[in-house]
Protein backbone atom coordinates (compact mmCIF):
# COMPACT_ATOMS: atom_id res chain seq x y z
CA UNK A 1 0.00 0.00 0.00
CA UNK A 2 1.45 3.39 -1.06
CA UNK A 3 -0.31 5.47 1.59
CA UNK A 4 -3.54 7.37 2.07
CA UNK A 5 -5.16 9.73 -0.46
CA UNK A 6 -8.16 11.89 0.30
CA UNK A 7 -10.31 12.73 -2.72
CA UNK A 8 -12.48 15.82 -2.23
CA UNK A 9 -15.56 15.54 -4.44
CA UNK A 10 -17.75 12.53 -5.17
CA UNK A 11 -18.76 13.31 -8.75
CA UNK A 12 -17.65 11.37 -11.80
CA UNK A 13 -14.16 12.93 -11.75
CA UNK A 14 -13.68 12.12 -8.07
CA UNK A 15 -14.98 8.58 -8.63
CA UNK A 16 -12.55 8.04 -11.51
CA UNK A 17 -9.65 9.41 -9.44
CA UNK A 18 -10.60 7.12 -6.54
CA UNK A 19 -10.82 4.14 -8.90
CA UNK A 20 -7.40 4.52 -10.46
CA UNK A 21 -5.71 5.52 -7.19
CA UNK A 22 -7.16 2.40 -5.60
CA UNK A 23 -5.88 0.30 -8.48
CA UNK A 24 -2.44 1.89 -8.04
CA UNK A 25 -2.33 0.63 -4.45
CA UNK A 26 -3.41 3.70 -2.49
CA UNK A 27 -5.82 3.67 0.45
CA UNK A 28 -8.56 6.06 -0.73
CA UNK A 29 -11.12 8.14 1.15
CA UNK A 30 -13.71 10.22 -0.72
CA UNK A 31 -15.50 13.16 0.93
CA UNK A 32 -18.37 15.14 -0.56
CA UNK A 33 -20.26 18.16 0.73
CA UNK A 34 -23.48 16.55 -0.55
CA UNK A 35 -24.07 13.02 -1.73
CA UNK A 36 -21.83 10.83 -3.87
CA UNK A 37 -22.84 11.37 -7.51
CA UNK A 38 -25.45 13.93 -6.54
CA UNK A 39 -24.12 17.02 -8.33
CA UNK A 40 -23.50 17.69 -12.01
CA UNK A 41 -22.77 13.99 -12.51
CA UNK A 42 -26.37 12.97 -11.74
CA UNK A 43 -28.71 14.17 -14.48
CA UNK A 44 -26.53 15.08 -17.45
CA UNK A 45 -27.09 13.68 -20.92
CA UNK A 46 -24.70 10.77 -20.42
CA UNK A 47 -22.73 11.25 -23.64
CA UNK A 48 -19.24 9.77 -23.95
CA UNK A 49 -18.33 11.88 -26.92
CA UNK A 50 -14.85 12.14 -28.43
CA UNK A 51 -16.61 14.01 -31.24
CA UNK A 52 -16.80 17.04 -28.88
CA UNK A 53 -13.14 17.84 -29.26
CA UNK A 54 -13.45 21.55 -30.12
CA UNK A 55 -13.94 24.07 -27.29
CA UNK A 56 -16.83 26.52 -27.16
CA UNK A 57 -14.27 29.30 -27.71
CA UNK A 58 -14.12 29.17 -31.50
CA UNK A 59 -13.67 32.03 -34.01
CA UNK A 60 -17.41 32.77 -34.27
CA UNK A 61 -18.44 32.14 -30.67
CA UNK A 62 -18.78 35.72 -29.42
CA UNK A 63 -20.91 36.92 -32.33
CA UNK A 64 -23.08 33.81 -32.28
CA UNK A 65 -23.64 34.14 -28.53
CA UNK A 66 -24.62 37.80 -28.79
CA UNK A 67 -27.07 37.07 -31.60
CA UNK A 68 -28.49 34.10 -29.73
CA UNK A 69 -29.12 36.18 -26.60
CA UNK A 70 -31.42 38.47 -28.60
CA UNK A 71 -33.79 35.54 -29.20
CA UNK A 72 -36.40 34.78 -26.53
CA UNK A 73 -35.85 31.05 -27.11
CA UNK A 74 -32.07 31.20 -26.92
CA UNK A 75 -30.42 28.17 -25.30
CA UNK A 76 -27.68 30.53 -24.03
CA UNK A 77 -28.23 33.19 -21.39
CA UNK A 78 -26.29 35.37 -18.97
CA UNK A 79 -28.09 36.74 -15.93
CA UNK A 80 -27.07 40.44 -15.78
CA UNK A 81 -25.23 41.23 -12.57
CA UNK A 82 -22.12 42.91 -11.23
CA UNK A 83 -19.79 39.91 -10.98
CA UNK A 84 -16.14 40.68 -11.66
CA UNK A 85 -15.22 37.00 -11.84
CA UNK A 86 -17.84 36.40 -14.55
CA UNK A 87 -16.71 39.35 -16.66
CA UNK A 88 -13.06 38.35 -16.29
CA UNK A 89 -14.06 34.85 -17.43
CA UNK A 90 -15.92 36.21 -20.46
CA UNK A 91 -12.97 38.45 -21.38
CA UNK A 92 -10.58 35.50 -21.25
CA UNK A 93 -13.05 33.43 -23.25
CA UNK A 94 -13.31 36.10 -25.95
CA UNK A 95 -9.53 36.28 -26.26
CA UNK A 96 -9.44 32.54 -26.99
CA UNK A 97 -11.96 32.78 -29.84
CA UNK A 98 -9.45 32.31 -32.65
CA UNK A 99 -8.39 29.37 -34.79
CA UNK A 100 -4.94 28.83 -33.25
CA UNK A 101 -6.19 28.70 -29.66
CA UNK A 102 -9.17 26.58 -30.70
CA UNK A 103 -6.89 23.98 -32.29
CA UNK A 104 -4.50 24.02 -29.32
CA UNK A 105 -7.35 23.33 -26.89
CA UNK A 106 -8.77 20.74 -29.27
CA UNK A 107 -5.49 18.84 -29.38
CA UNK A 108 -5.28 18.74 -25.58
CA UNK A 109 -8.90 17.66 -25.16
CA UNK A 110 -8.56 15.08 -27.94
CA UNK A 111 -5.87 13.27 -25.93
CA UNK A 112 -8.12 13.08 -22.86
CA UNK A 113 -11.23 12.12 -24.82
CA UNK A 114 -9.51 9.43 -26.90
CA UNK A 115 -7.88 7.90 -23.83
CA UNK A 116 -11.14 8.01 -21.87
CA UNK A 117 -13.09 6.20 -24.58
CA UNK A 118 -10.54 3.38 -24.55
CA UNK A 119 -10.63 3.27 -20.75
CA UNK A 120 -14.43 3.26 -20.71
CA UNK A 121 -14.44 0.30 -23.08
CA UNK A 122 -12.04 -1.51 -20.77
CA UNK A 123 -14.10 -0.64 -17.68
CA UNK A 124 -17.30 -1.90 -19.26
CA UNK A 125 -15.61 -5.14 -20.33
CA UNK A 126 -13.87 -5.88 -17.03
CA UNK A 127 -15.77 -4.22 -14.16
CA UNK A 128 -19.33 -4.77 -12.84
CA UNK A 129 -20.58 -1.30 -13.73
CA UNK A 130 -24.32 -1.49 -14.45
CA UNK A 131 -24.94 1.83 -16.22
CA UNK A 132 -26.82 1.08 -19.46
CA UNK A 133 -23.68 1.48 -21.57
CA UNK A 134 -24.50 1.62 -25.29
CA UNK A 135 -22.34 2.25 -28.35
CA UNK A 136 -24.83 3.73 -30.79
CA UNK A 137 -22.86 6.83 -31.73
CA UNK A 138 -24.07 10.43 -31.71
CA UNK A 139 -26.06 12.23 -34.40
CA UNK A 140 -25.87 16.00 -35.00
CA UNK A 141 -29.22 16.93 -36.59
CA UNK A 142 -29.80 20.08 -38.66
CA UNK A 143 -33.09 21.70 -39.50
CA UNK A 144 -31.89 24.10 -42.21
CA UNK A 145 -29.70 23.43 -45.29
CA UNK A 146 -27.50 26.47 -44.57
CA UNK A 147 -26.52 25.22 -41.10
CA UNK A 148 -26.11 21.66 -42.40
CA UNK A 149 -23.69 22.91 -45.02
CA UNK A 150 -21.87 25.12 -42.53
CA UNK A 151 -20.96 22.04 -40.52
CA UNK A 152 -19.22 20.56 -43.58
CA UNK A 153 -16.27 22.89 -42.93
CA UNK A 154 -16.09 21.74 -39.30
CA UNK A 155 -16.24 18.12 -40.41
CA UNK A 156 -13.32 18.78 -42.77
CA UNK A 157 -11.32 20.35 -39.92
CA UNK A 158 -12.05 17.45 -37.56
CA UNK A 159 -11.04 14.93 -40.22
CA UNK A 160 -7.77 16.67 -41.04
CA UNK A 161 -6.63 17.64 -37.54
CA UNK A 162 -8.08 14.94 -35.28
CA UNK A 163 -9.01 12.01 -37.52
CA UNK A 164 -12.65 12.36 -36.41
CA UNK A 165 -14.78 11.84 -39.52
CA UNK A 166 -18.57 11.96 -39.46
CA UNK A 167 -20.92 10.27 -41.88
CA UNK A 168 -23.17 12.69 -43.73
CA UNK A 169 -26.90 11.98 -44.14
CA UNK A 170 -28.96 14.38 -46.27
CA UNK A 171 -32.75 14.69 -46.32
CA UNK A 172 -34.58 11.37 -46.48
CA UNK A 173 -31.38 9.44 -45.75
CA UNK A 174 -31.51 10.91 -42.24
CA UNK A 175 -34.98 9.54 -41.47
CA UNK A 176 -33.98 6.20 -42.98
CA UNK A 177 -31.17 6.12 -40.40
CA UNK A 178 -33.38 7.32 -37.52
CA UNK A 179 -37.14 6.90 -38.21
CA UNK A 180 -38.09 8.73 -35.00
CA UNK A 181 -37.13 11.98 -36.76
CA UNK A 182 -39.70 13.95 -38.73
CA UNK A 183 -39.35 14.19 -42.51
CA UNK A 184 -38.19 17.46 -44.07
CA UNK A 185 -35.08 18.03 -41.96
CA UNK A 186 -31.95 19.14 -43.80
CA UNK A 187 -29.78 16.28 -42.59
CA UNK A 188 -27.29 15.15 -40.00
CA UNK A 189 -23.71 14.21 -39.26
CA UNK A 190 -23.21 10.87 -37.51
CA UNK A 191 -20.28 10.04 -35.20
CA UNK A 192 -20.36 6.27 -34.93
CA UNK A 193 -17.61 5.97 -32.28
CA UNK A 194 -19.43 7.92 -29.55
CA UNK A 195 -21.26 6.12 -26.75
CA UNK A 196 -23.70 6.90 -23.97
CA UNK A 197 -24.78 5.66 -20.54
CA UNK A 198 -27.02 6.56 -17.62
CA UNK A 199 -24.81 8.71 -15.36
CA UNK A 200 -26.73 8.27 -12.10
CA UNK A 201 -26.53 4.50 -12.48
CA UNK A 202 -22.82 4.73 -13.33
CA UNK A 203 -22.10 6.62 -10.11
CA UNK A 204 -24.18 4.36 -7.85
CA UNK A 205 -22.63 1.27 -9.43
CA UNK A 206 -19.11 2.74 -9.26
CA UNK A 207 -19.60 3.58 -5.59
CA UNK A 208 -20.53 -0.03 -4.81
CA UNK A 209 -17.46 -1.23 -6.67
CA UNK A 210 -15.14 1.22 -4.89
CA UNK A 211 -16.50 0.39 -1.44
CA UNK A 212 -16.16 -3.33 -2.15
CA UNK A 213 -12.45 -2.66 -2.70
CA UNK A 214 -11.92 -0.73 0.51
CA UNK A 215 -12.59 2.87 -0.58
CA UNK A 216 -14.35 4.84 2.18
CA UNK A 217 -16.99 7.46 1.29
CA UNK A 218 -18.05 10.28 3.65
CA UNK A 219 -21.14 12.20 2.53
CA UNK A 220 -22.34 15.60 3.82
CA UNK A 221 -18.72 16.26 4.72
CA UNK A 222 -17.75 19.78 3.71
CA UNK A 223 -14.15 20.89 3.30
CA UNK A 224 -13.10 23.89 5.38
CA UNK A 225 -9.33 24.24 4.99
CA UNK A 226 -6.02 22.42 4.74
CA UNK A 227 -3.63 22.00 7.65
CA UNK A 228 -0.29 22.98 6.12
CA UNK A 229 3.17 21.87 7.16
CA UNK A 230 6.36 22.99 5.35
CA UNK A 231 4.91 23.29 1.84
CA UNK A 232 2.62 20.29 2.14
CA UNK A 233 -0.89 19.59 3.34
CA UNK A 234 -0.92 17.39 6.42
CA UNK A 235 -4.67 17.13 6.90
CA UNK A 236 -8.05 18.40 5.75
CA UNK A 237 -10.35 20.15 8.19
CA UNK A 238 -13.98 19.21 7.46
CA UNK A 239 -17.38 19.48 9.09
CA UNK A 240 -16.83 15.90 10.27
CA UNK A 241 -13.43 16.58 11.81
CA UNK A 242 -9.80 16.64 10.75
CA UNK A 243 -8.69 13.97 8.24
CA UNK A 244 -5.01 13.27 7.68
CA UNK A 245 -3.61 11.90 4.43
CA UNK A 246 -0.40 11.61 2.42
CA UNK A 247 -1.93 13.27 -0.65
CA UNK A 248 -5.12 15.13 -1.56
CA UNK A 249 -7.09 15.40 -4.81
CA UNK A 250 -9.51 18.30 -5.28
CA UNK A 251 -12.23 17.19 -7.71
CA UNK A 252 -14.94 19.65 -6.75
CA UNK A 253 -16.20 20.74 -10.19
CA UNK A 254 -17.97 24.08 -10.31
CA UNK A 255 -17.48 24.55 -6.55
CA UNK A 256 -13.70 24.80 -6.98
CA UNK A 257 -13.43 28.64 -7.12
CA UNK A 258 -15.04 28.79 -3.67
CA UNK A 259 -11.93 26.97 -2.43
CA UNK A 260 -9.47 29.48 -3.92
CA UNK A 261 -8.40 30.77 -0.50
CA UNK A 262 -7.81 27.28 0.86
CA UNK A 263 -5.89 26.28 -2.27
CA UNK A 264 -3.81 29.46 -2.39
CA UNK A 265 -4.59 30.19 -6.04
CA UNK A 266 -7.29 31.59 -8.32
CA UNK A 267 -8.98 29.05 -10.57
CA UNK A 268 -11.11 30.70 -13.28
CA UNK A 269 -14.03 28.28 -13.28
CA UNK A 270 -17.54 29.66 -13.81
CA UNK A 271 -20.69 27.60 -13.15
CA UNK A 272 -22.60 27.06 -16.40
CA UNK A 273 -26.07 25.83 -15.51
CA UNK A 274 -27.52 23.03 -17.60
CA UNK A 275 -30.96 21.42 -17.36
CA UNK A 276 -32.55 18.08 -18.13
CA UNK A 277 -35.93 16.36 -18.14
CA UNK A 278 -36.12 12.61 -17.58
CA UNK A 279 -39.24 10.65 -18.53
CA UNK A 280 -40.34 7.23 -19.79
CA UNK A 281 -39.40 6.25 -23.33
CA UNK A 282 -41.97 7.48 -25.90
CA UNK A 283 -43.52 4.84 -28.15
CA UNK A 284 -41.52 6.16 -31.13
CA UNK A 285 -38.27 6.49 -29.23
CA UNK A 286 -35.03 7.31 -31.06
CA UNK A 287 -32.40 4.59 -31.15
CA UNK A 288 -29.46 6.99 -31.62
CA UNK A 289 -28.56 9.78 -29.18
CA UNK A 290 -28.68 13.11 -30.93
CA UNK A 291 -28.24 16.86 -30.65
CA UNK A 292 -30.51 19.32 -32.43
CA UNK A 293 -27.80 21.78 -33.30
CA UNK A 294 -29.84 24.91 -34.07
CA UNK A 295 -31.78 24.59 -30.81
CA UNK A 296 -28.96 23.05 -28.72
CA UNK A 297 -31.19 20.34 -27.30
CA UNK A 298 -29.75 16.88 -26.66
CA UNK A 299 -31.75 13.64 -26.68
CA UNK A 300 -30.62 10.54 -24.80
CA UNK A 301 -32.56 7.31 -25.33
CA UNK A 302 -31.74 5.31 -22.21
CA UNK A 303 -32.71 1.69 -21.69
CA UNK A 304 -34.72 2.68 -18.60
CA UNK A 305 -35.97 6.06 -19.78
CA UNK A 306 -35.57 9.06 -22.03
CA UNK A 307 -33.82 12.39 -21.40
CA UNK A 308 -33.89 15.85 -22.95
CA UNK A 309 -31.07 18.11 -21.84
CA UNK A 310 -28.71 21.02 -22.45
CA UNK A 311 -28.96 24.87 -22.44
CA UNK A 312 -26.27 27.09 -20.91
CA UNK A 313 -27.15 29.65 -18.25
CA UNK A 314 -24.54 31.78 -16.52
CA UNK A 315 -26.45 32.66 -13.37
CA UNK A 316 -23.82 32.10 -10.70
CA UNK A 317 -24.62 29.54 -8.03
CA UNK A 318 -28.36 29.99 -8.43
CA UNK A 319 -30.08 26.92 -7.01
CA UNK A 320 -33.55 27.34 -8.51
CA UNK A 321 -35.16 25.50 -11.43
CA UNK A 322 -35.83 28.06 -14.16
CA UNK A 323 -39.14 26.97 -15.69
CA UNK A 324 -38.42 28.86 -18.90
CA UNK A 325 -35.18 26.92 -19.43
CA UNK A 326 -36.97 23.60 -18.90
CA UNK A 327 -39.68 24.59 -21.38
CA UNK A 328 -36.99 25.33 -23.98
CA UNK A 329 -36.03 21.66 -23.91
CA UNK A 330 -39.54 20.65 -24.92
CA UNK A 331 -40.02 23.36 -27.54
CA UNK A 332 -36.56 22.75 -28.98
CA UNK A 333 -37.30 19.07 -29.57
CA UNK A 334 -40.72 19.54 -31.19
CA UNK A 335 -39.58 20.45 -34.73
CA UNK A 336 -37.46 17.31 -35.00
CA UNK A 337 -39.21 14.31 -33.46
CA UNK A 338 -42.56 12.61 -34.02
CA UNK A 339 -42.79 12.15 -30.24
CA UNK A 340 -40.42 14.68 -28.69
CA UNK A 341 -41.43 13.91 -25.09
CA UNK A 342 -44.03 12.10 -23.03
CA UNK A 343 -45.56 12.06 -19.57
CA UNK A 344 -45.03 11.76 -16.71
CA UNK A 345 -41.80 13.68 -16.25
CA UNK A 346 -39.88 11.68 -13.66
CA UNK A 347 -37.24 14.28 -12.86
CA UNK A 348 -36.61 17.96 -13.55
CA UNK A 349 -32.95 18.64 -12.93
CA UNK A 350 -30.19 21.22 -13.16
CA UNK A 351 -26.44 21.00 -12.65
CA UNK A 352 -23.55 23.45 -12.66
CA UNK A 353 -20.98 22.63 -15.31
CA UNK A 354 -17.45 23.74 -14.34
CA UNK A 355 -16.62 26.01 -17.29
CA UNK A 356 -13.10 27.30 -18.06
CA UNK A 357 -12.32 30.11 -20.52
CA UNK A 358 -10.24 27.90 -22.83
CA UNK A 359 -12.34 24.72 -22.65
CA UNK A 360 -9.56 22.67 -21.03
CA UNK A 361 -9.74 21.21 -17.51
CA UNK A 362 -7.26 21.91 -14.73
CA UNK A 363 -5.17 18.83 -13.88
CA UNK A 364 -2.17 19.98 -11.87
CA UNK A 365 -0.58 20.38 -8.45
CA UNK A 366 -1.84 23.20 -6.27
CA UNK A 367 0.81 25.92 -5.90
CA UNK A 368 2.38 25.97 -2.47
CA UNK A 369 1.29 22.44 -1.49
CA UNK A 370 3.31 19.73 -3.21
CA UNK A 371 0.92 16.90 -2.30
CA UNK A 372 -2.38 18.56 -3.32
CA UNK A 373 -3.65 17.91 -6.84
CA UNK A 374 -6.42 19.58 -8.81
CA UNK A 375 -8.81 17.79 -11.17
CA UNK A 376 -11.59 20.21 -12.08
CA UNK A 377 -12.96 22.43 -14.83
CA UNK A 378 -14.03 19.79 -17.34
CA UNK A 379 -16.67 22.07 -18.86
CA UNK A 380 -19.43 19.96 -20.47
CA UNK A 381 -17.20 16.90 -20.82
CA UNK A 382 -16.67 15.65 -17.28
CA UNK A 383 -18.18 12.25 -18.00
CA UNK A 384 -16.35 11.93 -21.32
CA UNK A 385 -12.99 12.85 -19.78
CA UNK A 386 -13.33 11.15 -16.39
CA UNK A 387 -11.41 7.87 -16.82
CA UNK A 388 -8.36 9.51 -18.43
CA UNK A 389 -8.39 12.25 -15.79
CA UNK A 390 -8.54 9.68 -13.00
CA UNK A 391 -5.72 7.65 -14.49
CA UNK A 392 -3.59 10.76 -15.03
CA UNK A 393 -4.11 11.92 -11.44
CA UNK A 394 -3.16 8.46 -10.15
CA UNK A 395 0.03 8.62 -12.22
CA UNK A 396 0.89 12.10 -10.95
CA UNK A 397 0.25 11.19 -7.30
CA UNK A 398 2.23 7.95 -7.67
CA UNK A 399 5.10 9.63 -9.51
CA UNK A 400 4.87 7.30 -12.52
CA UNK A 401 5.10 8.15 -16.21
CA UNK A 402 1.86 9.90 -17.32
CA UNK A 403 0.03 8.19 -20.17
CA UNK A 404 -0.78 11.60 -21.68
CA UNK A 405 1.04 14.93 -21.38
CA UNK A 406 -0.44 16.92 -18.46
CA UNK A 407 1.24 20.20 -19.52
CA UNK A 408 -1.76 21.69 -21.40
CA UNK A 409 -3.91 21.33 -18.28
CA UNK A 410 -1.56 23.23 -15.93
CA UNK A 411 -2.59 26.25 -13.86
CA UNK A 412 0.20 28.40 -15.26
CA UNK A 413 -1.74 28.97 -18.48
CA UNK A 414 -3.98 31.37 -16.54
Amino acid sequence: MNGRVLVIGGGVIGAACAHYLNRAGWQVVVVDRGTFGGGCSHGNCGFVCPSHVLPLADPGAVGNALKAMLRPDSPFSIRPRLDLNLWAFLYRFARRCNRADMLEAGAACHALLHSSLDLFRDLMATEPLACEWQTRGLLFVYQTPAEMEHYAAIDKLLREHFDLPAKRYDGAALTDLEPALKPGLAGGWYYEEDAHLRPDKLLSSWRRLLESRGVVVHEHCEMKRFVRDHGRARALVTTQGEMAADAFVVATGAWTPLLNHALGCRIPIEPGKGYSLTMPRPSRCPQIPMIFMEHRVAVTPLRSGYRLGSTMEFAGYDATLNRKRLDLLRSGARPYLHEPYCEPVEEEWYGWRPMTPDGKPVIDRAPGMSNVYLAAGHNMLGLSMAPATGKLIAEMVSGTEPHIDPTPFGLRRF
Side-chain angles (χ1 to χ4, degrees):
M1 190 70 70
N2 288 325
R4 191 172 194 246
V5 180
L6 203 154
V7 177
I8 306 153
V12 71
I13 299 297
C17 291
H19 178 87
Y20 288 98
L21 285 162
N22 176 263
R23 276 182 40 168
W26 292 89
Q27 179 189 354
V28 181
V29 176
V30 179
V31 301
D32 194 280
R33 61 180 290 159
T35 58
F36 189 94
C40 196
S41 298
H42 173 77
N44 64 67
C45 291
F47 294 163
V48 177
C49 48
S51 60
H52 281 48
V53 67
L54 294 179
L56 293 182
D58 63 32
V62 174
N64 291 337
L66 291 173
K67 283 188 286 187
M69 288 173 64
L70 297 176
R71 296 180 4 226
D73 63 343
S74 172
F76 176 72
S77 72
I78 299 176
R79 181 175 296 179
R81 62 193 188 278
L82 184 60
D83 184 336
L84 296 181
N85 289 330
L86 171 63
W87 294 108
F89 173 94
L90 294 173
Y91 173 72
R92 283 173 164 160
F93 177 90
R95 291 193 62 184
R96 296 280 304 189
C97 291
N98 61 77
R99 182 181 174 88
D101 284 337
M102 176 187 73
L103 290 175
E104 182 274 331
C109 291
H110 180 56
L112 272 179
L113 289 166
H114 182 72
S115 171
S116 278
L117 182 60
D118 287 342
L119 291 168
F120 260 124
R121 288 168 174 160
D122 179 67
L123 285 168
M124 297 305 151
T126 61
E127 301 287 10
L129 295 174
C131 60
E132 304 182 20
W133 171 260
Q134 297 180 73
T135 54
R136 295 185 178 272
L138 182 62
L139 184 60
F140 293 8
V141 179
Y142 285 92
Q143 190 177 25
T144 62
E147 292 299 321
M148 176 72 183
E149 201 55 45
H150 174 75
Y151 193 80
I154 301 174
D155 174 63
K156 183 174 183 289
L157 182 148
L158 293 177
R159 288 172 183 268
E160 293 176 352
H161 288 270
F162 305 107
D163 191 26
L164 284 172
K167 282 190 176 181
R168 178 172 181 157
Y169 290 83
D170 288 288
L174 179 65
T175 49
D176 290 341
L177 174 69
E178 179 48 83
L181 290 165
K182 289 181 177 180
L185 297 168
W189 298 85
Y190 185 31
Y191 289 93
E192 295 180 295
E193 292 297 305
D194 286 15
H196 70 288
L197 52 77
R198 182 152 185 158
D200 53 333
K201 291 193 174 184
L202 172 68
L203 269 294
S204 59
S205 183
W206 216 342
R207 176 178 181 169
R208 288 192 296 271
L209 176 64
L210 292 171
E211 290 181 326
S212 74
R213 295 178 178 173
V215 174
V216 176
V217 177
H218 294 283
E219 295 184 322
H220 307 292
C221 181
E222 187 174 353
M223 169 184 170
K224 293 299 184 182
R225 62 183 176 85
F226 288 105
V227 179
R228 301 186 184 214
D229 185 12
H230 297 93
R232 292 172 58 85
R234 179 170 54 80
L236 184 74
V237 178
T238 77
T239 52
Q240 295 183 16
E242 188 172 300
M243 300 181 182
D246 300 290
F248 302 82
V249 178
V250 179
T252 45
W255 293 103
T256 308
L258 303 183
L259 306 177
N260 281 347
H261 180 72
L263 292 168
C265 59
R266 295 186 64 82
I267 302 172
I269 289 174
E270 191 67 27
K273 198 174 183 182
Y275 291 83
S276 74
L277 296 167
T278 305
M279 61 201 78
R281 290 166 62 92
S283 57
R284 291 185 75 171
C285 187
Q287 297 301 305
I288 303 171
M290 60 187 79
I291 301 175
F292 304 137
M293 298 299 283
E294 282 109 324
H295 289 81
R296 298 291 171 180
V297 172
V299 177
T300 311
L302 303 160
R303 288 200 179 104
S304 60
Y306 175 80
R307 182 167 291 165
L308 299 176
S310 198
T311 80
M312 178 67 74
E313 183 183 22
F314 285 104
Y317 294 95
D318 172 65
T320 60
L321 277 170
N322 185 329
R323 187 63 49 189
K324 179 181 176 183
R325 310 303 292 174
L326 291 170
D327 290 343
L328 286 176
L329 298 178
R330 292 186 178 90
S331 63
R334 283 190 202 112
Y336 300 89
L337 291 167
H338 289 289
E339 293 186 55
Y341 46 83
C342 65
E343 299 295 338
V345 173
E346 296 167 347
E347 184 177 31
E348 299 178 330
W349 177 88
Y350 77 87
W352 293 313
R353 307 179 185 100
M355 306 300 293
T356 60
D358 59 6
K360 297 183 296 183
V362 175
I363 307 172
D364 199 1
R365 290 179 192 262
M369 290 183 288
S370 62
N371 62 336
V372 175
Y373 300 81
L374 306 172
H378 290 74
N379 295 270
M380 297 184 291
L381 297 171
L383 176 63
S384 293
M385 293 180 170
T389 299
K391 184 175 180 181
L392 183 57
I393 283 288
E395 292 160 345
M396 293 168 70
V397 173
S398 302
T400 57
E401 184 72 21
H403 76 289
I404 56 176
D405 181 12
T407 306
F409 313 113
L411 267 174
R412 290 184 180 180
R413 71 186 195 266
F414 301 122

